[in-house]
Structure formats: structure tokens, C-alpha cells
Amino acid sequence: VFFDLSFKNKEPAAIPKNPWIMGRLAGMPFSPSALNHYLACPLRFYYIRVLGLQELEDLTGDISRASIGNIVHKALELYFLLGGRIGRQFKPDDLSAELAALIACLEKAMALFQLTDTEKGYGYVMRRQVEKRLEGILRYHADAIQTFTPLAVEASLEAELTLKSGKKAKLAGKADRIDLRVIPPAGEGLRAKEMIVIVDYKTGSMAKAPSWRGFNPGARGEWIKTLRSVQLPVYVIMAKEGTIKLQDGAVDLVSPLTKGRPVEGFDARLMMLGKQEILEESLY
């Protein structure tokens, strides 16, 4: 007996853009992650953003790899938000005191995520690793970035673009942190430059800034290899052209500094927290 079987993957069928889908897209704000889904696979965008399909999440008291990133994000958010650090140049006099404050924020973050199993076994080991990584992050800010002033954390950004067709497209996203930084001169005779820098924390090791110099708008099939992600340029567009919404009670220190600022006064960076050596990848 012979079976005529083929295990080749077929090309997925295209989803027709019917009135229901177009209606959903018309009022949808596009986040950087949504645009990245479309860049990588339009069908993925359809399933996640149009149909709203999501992975199931298991509630657990253990520290998982997925939750570590959320804990680190929250600890850094609380660290800069508390203690009057927003709007003040970051110049720690005592790193040990700053580290103690950061570890206290880690405790708050773990409590918010209801993580309790950290005194034994796997949870204990992972917590100690997170503490060590936070110490490295703090030292990186003190030694490598040097002159910067955090202006906002967890800032919601929005902007509206007019497309060539005349239609409007809404952009929306959340920035982990927005800084005012003094960039050292690139050469002799040049002056230092003051820039608005949008920072996105990455606890994974695979993220990369887009290779915009090699980006060819006409080669759609190559976009995923060169552009990789639209996250950083979208952040710059939203910070330059859009509006900002902060947490309740936070003073808007960003808008007065972005109005009228040319694009050369902006940058967006991935702060790579998951690599062996902490570093930043810059858009420009």
C-alpha cells in the first residue's frame, strides 16, 4: 500500500481586505510592535492585531524567563520615578546607596508581580542574578552614559501621520524612558550636543537597531533584513511630532523640550540589558 503524502509547507492564503477588516484598521492606533508584526509577517499581524488572538498566560509564583524582563523594567521604572530623580541630572555620589534604593525597587516590583518563591531553589538563584544585573545597569549609567537627565518613565506617546493617499494613520506606543543627554563632541573643534533620547530596555539578546543606511524602500522583500524593526524611528516620530501622556501627577518635562526641535536633536536607543556586556545600540 502506498500513500501519496506531501509534508511541504504551503504558502498561507492571503486574507482579503473586506469592509469589516478595513473598518477595524481605520480606527486602530499602530504601535511599534504592531508594525513590526506586519513587517515580519502580515498574517501574524492579522491574527494578533485584527482578530485579537493572544497566547495563554499561566499564573505562577515562580520567576520565569518571561517575567524577569517585566521585573527589571518595573524596578528601573520605580527607581527613576521615586526619590526625585526625574528632572534631575544623574550624578550619584554614593553608588552603594543608589544600589540599595534600586534593590528596594526590585522588592516592590516582585511584590507587584506576586512573586514569592525567591528564598530557595530556582527562584533564589534567579533573584540573585537579577540583583547582580541591576548592579551592572546602575554602574553602566554612572560610568558610560554620564551626563543625562531622566525626563519621564513609562511615557505614552501618540502621533498622527497623513499618508500619501490622504488618509490618517495613528501611531501609539510607550517609551521606557526619555532622557535629556549631552553628547560629547565627535571630533576636535566640535561642540557637545544636547539631545532628547528615547530609551527602550531590552532584556533579550536578539534585538538590533535598524540598519537604515542599507534600507532600500523599493526592495520590500529585504526590509526585514535591513530595517528589522521600526520601533526606534517610530519613537522619534512620536516624540517629535506627537503628544505625550504621563502617569498621574507627573509633570510634563518633555513637551517643552521637543517643540520646534529638529530631527537632529533626537535619538532612540536600545539599552541591551540581556547581553553579557551592557551597552546601547543607537538609531543614529
Side-chain angles (χ1 to χ4, degrees), residues 65-199:
R65 291 185 180 274
S67 63
I68 288 174
N70 294 330
I71 296 169
V72 172
H73 275 69
K74 194 64 180 180
L76 290 172
E77 174 195 347
L78 294 173
Y79 171 75
F80 284 104
L81 193 60
L82 304 175
R85 294 179 179 87
I86 296 295
R88 190 179 71 192
Q89 186 174 338
F90 187 78
K91 295 180 74 172
D93 298 323
D94 186 356
L95 269 182
S96 60
E98 294 297 318
L99 178 59
L102 184 53
I103 297 303
C105 291
L106 172 62
E107 297 282 353
K108 291 185 176 72
M110 294 174 65
L112 288 172
F113 284 96
Q114 299 180 346
L115 296 171
T116 57
D117 190 15
T118 60
E119 298 301 324
K120 58 183 179 180
Y122 174 77
Y124 176 82
V125 173
M126 294 307 298
R127 173 181 169 164
R128 291 292 177 244
Q129 288 182 340
V130 171
E131 289 179 354
K132 188 68 176 176
R133 177 52 31 151
L134 287 175
E135 180 181 358
I137 294 169
L138 185 62
R139 293 189 180 279
Y140 176 82
H141 280 79
D143 299 336
I145 304 180
Q146 298 179 347
T147 308
F148 80 98
T149 301
L151 301 176
V153 292
E154 291 297 307
S156 297
L157 300 170
E158 294 181 354
E160 188 173 69
L161 300 182
T162 301
L163 308 180
K164 291 182 179 180
S165 63
K167 293 182 178 181
K168 304 286 186 179
K170 295 178 182 179
L171 299 175
K174 184 172 285 188
D176 289 332
R177 201 174 81 224
I178 301 177
D179 292 345
L180 178 65
R181 298 194 186 184
V182 177
I183 309 301
E188 190 175 346
L190 299 176
R191 294 188 300 176
K193 187 162 62 171
E194 190 180 78
M195 299 187 73
I196 297 292
V197 178
I198 301 97
V199 181

